[in-house]
Amino acid sequence: GIQKIEVADVQKEHMLQLLGNDPVKFLNYASGDSVVTLMYTSALYGYNNQPPVTVTSSAARVMKKNMMEYLGLDPLDTDGFNRKYRGLEKVSHGKFKLPDRPGFCESTSLEPISDKACFVQRYASSAYHGGYNCCSEVGFFPYETHDYDLRNAYPTAMCLVPDIDWENAVKFHIQNRSMDIRDFQISDDGFNPIAPFIGYCRFEFPDSVRFPCIPVNVDGVPMYPRSSEGLDGVYVAGPYIYLALRLGASVFCENGYFLNTLLTPDMHESRSLSYAVVQFVRDRTHAVAKHGKHSLEELILKTMVNSGYGKNSQNVVQKSSWSAYKDKMETLGCSAITNPVSAMMTTSIVQCVLLASQNQLHELGFMSCSVTTDGFITDCPYDGLTKLDLFGFRRCMEQARLFLTDGKDAELWEEKHHQNDLINFTTRGNVSLLTHGVCAQQCEIRLYE
């Protein structure tokens, strides 16, 4: 430490001498970092453009632009976008006096465009949950297991989320009755597992169900109890209810709303999120072809693809972050594309795919000991996993995968690791002795120590 301080002092002395002897050379040297930063930023966002604060905020900006194009809105019509996609409008609260200088400033806020839009958004915010993480079996498994991931889980799910017709949000209302699987029926032999629905419900699963699928928020963490006993009710998204009914659960809905989806001019279901996501995927493919895999351009676009969901769900559940400038915690605030219904639907679809997989694997005699957001560990071989129909969710996800890959790839799963031995002791806490197994490097280090 003392040696580093001495070196720094010597460097500082040399720089002071350079400043005195050749100030032009000193200034050219000192401005180098700024020039490099400017060139780097310009390479990413173009010249003479105001850059975003972060890559993720850039992703939100690009997604908003693409979504506005899809929705047929003028690129500068932010008010139109907020109304059509988010169900919000700007409301003025008058002018207030500036505290630090003469003058006044207008106070405005974004508010739901109607009472129906207000309670739909409130219900959706309450029904939104983060990723599904679970440790269902603890112990040593001295046989072959596999660590599978859903490929592009959240971007794929986002491609299935429809836009809501906020001018007429509620399709029909369910009140004080038990729900039936036929509520999700769209034809004589077809059901819609991802129907946009939100309800305040009570539920109970049969004892035979290994993995109940309706989340209950406990101190900010989603839990999956067998029943809602002891609770007045819980806010639940449609995919959870559909899967619960397929598993044999009873669901009583006190208040529920199937939502109207926005239609495109050619009378198809509007999905602006899918348009924004697929543009990122295509740009990333182009970047790989032009600049190579793991190039700066490809890595930036990969980050932007994966951050789209985060920006869509930002502050749906209010969060705070530290402001270094103000030296205090502040509410994070919504992004330009925050939408509680879209966020609720995206997470519920991903969670239900994982929960459907676990339940069908259990019925077939396979175990699944650990789930982490977009994948799980099981002893089921790959061929067995891909045959599961997931109670109808597989069909939906395959369609989204085909859309994302321009019809080239419908595969949902990829295997990250497989191992002949596994120790599972907590969520995200699993190790194997094999070099290609889960947490292999950490395990090897411990062995050598």
Side-chain angles (χ1 to χ4, degrees):
I2 295 174
Q3 185 179 11
K4 288 182 179 178
I5 292 173
E6 291 175 349
V7 170
D9 288 340
V10 172
Q11 290 174 339
K12 181 179 179 181
E13 184 63 30
H14 286 167
M15 293 305 295
L16 288 173
Q17 290 177 4
L18 178 63
L19 175 61
N21 297 332
D22 193 343
V24 174
K25 187 175 182 179
F26 173 87
L27 291 173
N28 285 333
Y29 176 83
S31 64
D33 287 346
S34 300
V35 173
V36 170
T37 301
L38 178 62
M39 292 177 66
Y40 176 84
T41 305
S42 298
L44 289 178
Y45 303 113
Y47 291 89
N48 300 318
N49 285 327
Q50 181 180 353
V53 177
T54 63
V55 171
T56 56
S57 62
S58 175
R61 180 188 297 183
V62 174
M63 288 184 70
K64 178 183 174 182
K65 175 179 175 293
N66 289 334
M67 292 164 73
M68 292 176 77
E69 178 183 323
Y70 177 91
L71 293 169
L73 297 169
D74 185 275
L76 300 178
D77 188 9
T78 295
D79 289 341
F81 175 77
N82 285 332
R83 186 177 189 93
K84 196 165 188 177
Y85 173 67
R86 304 175 70 191
L88 302 174
E89 62 183 353
K90 187 183 292 184
V91 175
S92 175
H93 303 289
K95 297 183 182 296
F96 66 92
K97 190 178 183 306
L98 294 172
D100 55 348
R101 62 185 185 276
F104 293 84
C105 183
E106 185 176 6
S107 173
T108 63
S109 62
L110 288 174
E111 307 287 349
I113 64 173
S114 66
D115 267 355
K116 287 183 178 179
C118 182
F119 63 66
V120 167
Q121 291 175 22
R122 179 170 61 83
Y123 268 44
S125 296
S126 298
Y128 167 79
H129 300 278
Y132 171 42
N133 294 277
C134 169
C135 176
S136 53
E137 291 191 43
V138 175
F140 175 57
F141 302 91
Y143 48 81
E144 188 172 29
T145 55
H146 310 265
D147 186 8
Y148 297 115
D149 261 5
L150 271 173
R151 303 173 70 182
N152 300 114
Y154 284 89
T156 301
M158 288 169 73
C159 289
L160 295 171
V161 176
D163 298 323
I164 302 304
D165 181 2
W166 290 108
E167 305 294 342
N168 182 27
V170 176
K171 187 174 185 178
F172 59 87
H173 180 200
I174 292 178
Q175 189 171 30
N176 293 325
R177 74 162 172 87
S178 295
M179 296 198 69
D180 189 279
I181 194 63
R182 286 169 291 191
D183 290 323
F184 294 86
Q185 191 166 10
I186 53 177
S187 65
D188 289 342
D189 58 353
F191 297 87
N192 183 11
I194 56 173
F197 172 86
I198 176 64
Y200 188 70
C201 306
R202 296 188 294 275
F203 63 89
E204 184 171 3
F205 285 86
D207 291 340
S208 58
V209 175
R210 178 71 173 85
F211 300 97
C213 65
I214 294 182
V216 174
N217 195 320
V218 179
D219 296 330
V221 178
M223 308 294 285
Y224 299 81
R226 195 167 296 282
S227 79
S228 59
E229 183 180 359
L231 301 171
D232 181 60
V234 294
Y235 294 96
V236 193
Y240 296 119
I241 295 177
Y242 167 84
L243 180 57
L245 294 171
R246 289 295 304 267
L247 292 172
S250 60
V251 180
F252 183 86
C253 181
E254 185 176 307
N255 264 307
Y257 307 93
F258 279 94
L259 307 180
N260 277 315
T261 56
L262 191 66
L263 297 178
T264 61
D266 56 356
M267 305 306 289
H268 289 101
E269 193 172 67
S270 176
R271 294 183 179 179
S272 60
L273 267 180
S274 69
Y275 182 77
V277 170
V278 80
Q279 287 297 111
F280 275 145
V281 172
R282 289 170 180 167
D283 288 344
R284 184 183 174 192
T285 301
H286 178 70
V288 171
K290 186 175 181 179
H291 303 286
K293 196 167 179 62
H294 304 306
S295 63
L296 173 64
E297 292 80 0
E298 190 263 339
L299 293 174
I300 290 291
L301 283 162
K302 178 181 178 181
T303 301
M304 295 175 81
V305 171
N306 293 330
S307 64
Y309 161 71
K311 302 307 288 187
N312 193 231
S313 60
Q314 182 174 306
N315 215 48
V316 167
V317 176
Q318 194 172 83
K319 293 183 179 180
S320 297
S321 62
W322 178 256
S323 170
Y325 177 73
K326 295 183 178 180
D327 196 30
K328 65 177 184 179
M329 296 295 291
E330 285 190 322
T331 300
L332 183 61
C334 297
S335 79
I337 58 170
T338 294
N339 185 320
V341 174
S342 298
M344 172 197 76
M345 290 297 297
T346 302
T347 50
S348 64
I349 290 169
V350 174
Q351 286 201 22
C352 284
V353 169
L354 296 173
L355 286 156
S357 302
Q358 283 188 288
N359 278 292
Q360 288 194 330
L361 288 172
H362 177 69
E363 291 173 2
L364 294 172
F366 295 106
M367 73 85 180
S368 57
C369 60
S370 177
V371 184
T372 51
T373 306
D374 60 356
F376 57 88
I377 299 176
T378 178
D379 58 343
C380 178
Y382 185 80
D383 288 345
L385 179 64
T386 58
K387 291 177 182 177
L388 303 179
D389 69 356
L390 308 177
F391 301 101
F393 284 100
R394 189 183 83 180
R395 173 181 53 82
C396 298
M397 293 291 281
E398 285 178 342
Q399 290 174 354
R401 287 286 305 152
L402 287 170
F403 175 77
L404 268 183
T405 61
D406 291 326
K408 297 174 184 176
D409 186 2
E411 291 293 324
L412 301 187
W413 303 98
E414 63 178 347
E415 184 176 60
K416 292 197 304 180
H417 309 100
H418 70 273
Q419 50 275 322
N420 293 326
D421 55 11
L422 176 74
I423 300 174
N424 191 59
F425 48 88
T426 185
T427 305
R428 298 185 184 274
N430 24 68
V431 294
S432 168
L433 299 179
L434 299 182
T435 56
H436 57 271
V438 178
C439 289
Q441 291 181 345
Q442 294 93 321
C443 188
E444 287 177 346
I445 291 170
R446 292 191 186 102
L447 286 172
Y448 292 143
E449 290 176 348

